[in-house]
Amino acid sequence: MNVTIKAHFNKQTKDSKKELVQFYVKGEDERRPELNQMTREVVVLSIKGLDNVELTAEFKKSAKDAKKTVLEFEVKGDSSAAQTFEFYKLAGTDVELNITESQMDIDEFQEGQKAYREGLKGTIAKDGTVDVNREDDPNQAELPLGDEEVAAAEIAASAAGGDNPDDDLPF
């Protein structure tokens, strides 16, 4: 299924977990039944005038009020920064949005999102130090401690109750 609508590109937001794209639709296009049929599906978004720029996204929701219909999409995590930047440049303008149903199903999309969001795994100790599990990532580099880090570790050990024989302080 493929639908082309005239919409206002309201905003594009990105945080550490997801990227959202929101459009406002007014007039005859907001009554199109195809919009309701594609909600909660994986779609490919393209804007007229941006050649070869497409974003794969989950059509999260369609909300209608008295003035407009709001379309909200969650962009797939592995979209290139160049493509999302081209979209972002058009935020705040009226665009001709093409929404095409993707061959990808929602389960594949969500698995891809989980893989994109995975990071290093580790634990945080009560003293605030972090122990990173490096066996999970063979490309993870380990930096040797410099003189300042060694001194800081010795001070921390001493403050935690360790005795320093070179210390001539009474406590």
Side-chain angles (χ1 to χ4, degrees):
M1 185 181 310
N2 184 15
V3 62
T4 301
I5 57 174
K6 292 185 182 190
H8 177 76
F9 188 171
N10 182 43
K11 66 181 177 180
Q12 181 173 8
T13 59
K14 185 173 186 173
D15 62 18
S16 62
K17 295 184 180 180
K18 62 187 172 212
E19 182 174 355
L20 295 174
V21 180
Q22 187 180 75
F23 295 90
Y24 290 163
V25 182
K26 295 180 183 179
E28 294 299 315
D29 284 337
E30 67 181 321
R31 295 190 235 334
R32 301 205 38 194
E34 297 95 337
L35 293 177
N36 290 332
Q37 293 172 356
M38 287 194 281
T39 305
R40 304 297 299 162
E41 296 291 328
V42 179
V43 297
V44 177
L45 302 175
S46 61
I47 294 178
K48 185 177 180 181
L50 291 179
D51 296 331
N52 299 325
V53 179
E54 295 181 335
L55 294 181
T56 303
E58 178 184 354
F59 192 160
K60 291 298 265 188
K61 66 181 176 179
S62 173
K64 190 178 282 193
D65 64 19
K67 296 180 182 180
K68 64 191 169 300
T69 298
V70 178
L71 306 179
E72 195 168 285
F73 302 91
E74 182 177 328
V75 178
K76 188 168 192 251
D78 63 356
S79 295
S80 80
Q83 287 184 333
T84 56
F85 181 71
E86 291 299 317
F87 260 68
Y88 180 72
K89 290 194 303 189
L90 294 176
T93 64
D94 292 332
V95 296
E96 196 167 311
L97 179 67
N98 188 27
I99 306 170
T100 307
E101 198 169 18
S102 174
Q103 299 299 318
M104 182 185 299
D105 70 4
I106 196 71
D107 293 330
E108 291 173 327
F109 180 82
Q110 290 173 346
E111 282 298 316
Q113 289 296 83
K114 284 181 189 175
Y116 173 72
R117 292 181 186 148
E118 283 184 8
L120 291 176
K121 297 193 180 349
T123 56
I124 300 175
K126 289 182 181 181
D127 66 354
T129 59
V130 178
D131 182 31
V132 178
N133 187 358
R134 289 185 168 83
E135 289 83 37
D136 290 347
D137 186 1
N139 296 323
Q140 180 66 37
E142 187 169 329
L143 296 175
L145 294 178
D147 293 339
E148 292 175 5
E149 289 88 359
V150 171
E154 289 173 355
I155 291 170
S158 176
D163 290 329
N164 186 350
D166 297 332
D167 187 5
D168 55 354
L169 294 175
F171 299 104

